Each structure stands twice: as structure tokens, then as C-alpha cells.
Amino acid sequence: MNTRKVVFLFFSTMFLGAMGGAIVGTVLYDPLFAEGGFWNFIFGFIWLLGVGAAVSAVAQMGYFAYLLLNRLALSLFKTKRLWNRVQLFLIAFVFFDLFYFRYLAYAAEDETIWGYLITPTLLLIFAAIVAYFKQRETHRGAFIPAFFFLYVITTIEWVPALIVPEVNDSNWIWIYLAPLLVANTYQLMMHHRLQRK
């Protein structure tokens, strides 16, 4: 990786994350576009682009933080197998936290825990699918790090939206998640391609 490739990755990730957030926001956030006509729609879309770009910048910080963490952990745990086991444990731990603590914090009396399992499970499936494609394009050992990054790091980046009750019960939770998923998936799948060029 040289400076030109890093700059390309930065701006292309920000653009795609911004577009992902703006498109999902346009679909989900009806009150923003319900009144005011054409210019209200344009300014609202530009505002959502800004929100998506800011969230994708967080995703990029998370990606480079994970690259550093991965190198430090490999030197700390001495073997890749042990670090992979730790990552699998953390994936299971975050999966449990993502549904159980949200259930404790936000569930109404008539809600069951099963409704809070849907989002973590779908995110887990998505992370596993992307990690599989990452492994196919690189090597067998890439599956667990890619899976860990897409599930655990994305969830950590998503926490600011999850801990605010007003956001947690609204469409904003998806407007925050969309640019994170787009940016993290793109970075993960683009990194090895840029290194090969």
C-alpha cells in the first residue's frame, strides 16, 4: 500500500458510506421529506450524505484500529490459532450482549427476547457471508479475522446509536448502521485488491 492507494481507499469508502446512509435514510426517514417540496428533499438528502460520510469516517478509524489490534494480538498471543479462538469467543460474547442487554434496557413488558435476536442474527449472517468471500479471494486464514472485524468492530462502532433510547427506537438505528456496513464491507474487500495492484 502506498499513499495514493490509502487516499483512494479513504475517499471511495467515504463516498460509498455516504451514499449508503443517504439512500437508506431517504427510504426510512419519511418526516424529513414529507413536506417542503423539491428543495426540502435536496437539502435533506445532502444532510443525510453528511451524516453517512461522518459515520463512514468512524468506520475507517475502526478498520485501521483493527489492523493495528490484529498485529499486536498476533505478537501477544504468539500463535494465530490462539488469537483466532479469542476472536471467536469475542464474536459469541458480542452476539449475546447485542440482544440480551438491548432487551434488558429497552424491552416493554409485552415484548419477548426473541424480537431482539433478529438484528444480531442477521448481522452475524451478513458478516459470515462477507468473510466467506474474503476467504475465497485471499486465503483460508482470512475468514475469522474478517468475520470478527465485520461483526465485533461494526457493533462497537454502532454502540453510540444503540445506547441512546430515542435513536434505538427509531429508524436512525438503521441510518447509522447502513454506512457502517457499506464502508466496512468495502474496506475489507478492497484492501487485498489494492495490495495486489
Side-chain angles (χ1 to χ4, degrees):
M1 289 286 275
N2 56 33
T3 307
R4 185 173 55 82
K5 290 178 181 178
V6 171
V7 170
F8 169 78
L9 185 63
F10 174 81
F11 284 108
S12 58
T13 303
M14 185 167 283
F15 172 76
L16 290 173
M19 288 303 295
I23 290 168
V24 170
T26 302
V27 172
L28 294 179
Y29 199 59
D30 294 334
L32 184 66
F33 305 116
E35 300 172 356
F38 176 75
W39 288 109
N40 186 56
F41 174 81
I42 294 298
F43 288 127
F45 190 80
I46 291 169
W47 180 66
L48 287 170
L49 280 173
V51 170
V55 174
S56 70
V58 172
Q60 291 183 67
M61 287 188 288
Y63 183 64
F64 287 104
Y66 174 70
L67 292 176
L68 178 62
L69 170 70
N70 193 45
R71 285 291 166 206
L72 290 173
L74 285 171
S75 63
L76 178 68
F77 290 111
K78 301 298 183 193
T79 65
K80 193 171 184 179
R81 174 180 270 178
L82 180 57
W83 171 227
N84 282 343
R85 288 178 179 171
V86 170
Q87 288 181 100
L88 287 173
F89 170 77
L90 291 172
I91 290 167
F93 182 76
V94 169
F95 177 79
F96 176 78
D97 282 0
L98 196 52
F99 77 85
Y100 185 69
F101 288 117
R102 283 187 68 224
Y103 170 73
L104 290 180
Y106 301 117
E109 290 182 16
D110 58 337
E111 285 184 303
T112 65
I113 199 167
W114 301 111
Y116 286 85
L117 268 170
I118 295 169
T119 302
T121 304
L122 291 176
L123 186 57
L124 192 75
I125 292 168
F126 177 81
I129 290 169
V130 174
Y132 168 75
F133 283 106
K134 175 75 173 181
Q135 172 190 301
R136 270 186 56 184
E137 291 190 18
T138 55
H139 55 87
R140 244 178 82 189
F143 180 82
I144 292 175
F147 191 22
F148 177 86
F149 168 71
L150 263 180
Y151 195 74
V152 175
I153 304 299
T154 300
T155 302
I156 291 169
E157 294 163 350
W158 198 26
V159 163
L162 295 175
I163 61 174
V164 179
E166 293 79 17
V167 171
N168 191 65
D169 294 331
S170 71
N171 290 333
W172 276 102
I173 199 166
W174 308 113
I175 296 170
Y176 275 69
L177 181 61
L180 287 176
L181 284 180
V182 170
N184 284 340
T185 302
Y186 175 75
Q187 290 177 107
L188 193 64
M189 298 306 292
M190 199 65 187
H191 192 170
H192 62 273
R193 294 173 186 170
L194 286 175
Q195 284 182 318
R196 286 176 186 163
K197 287 183 180 179

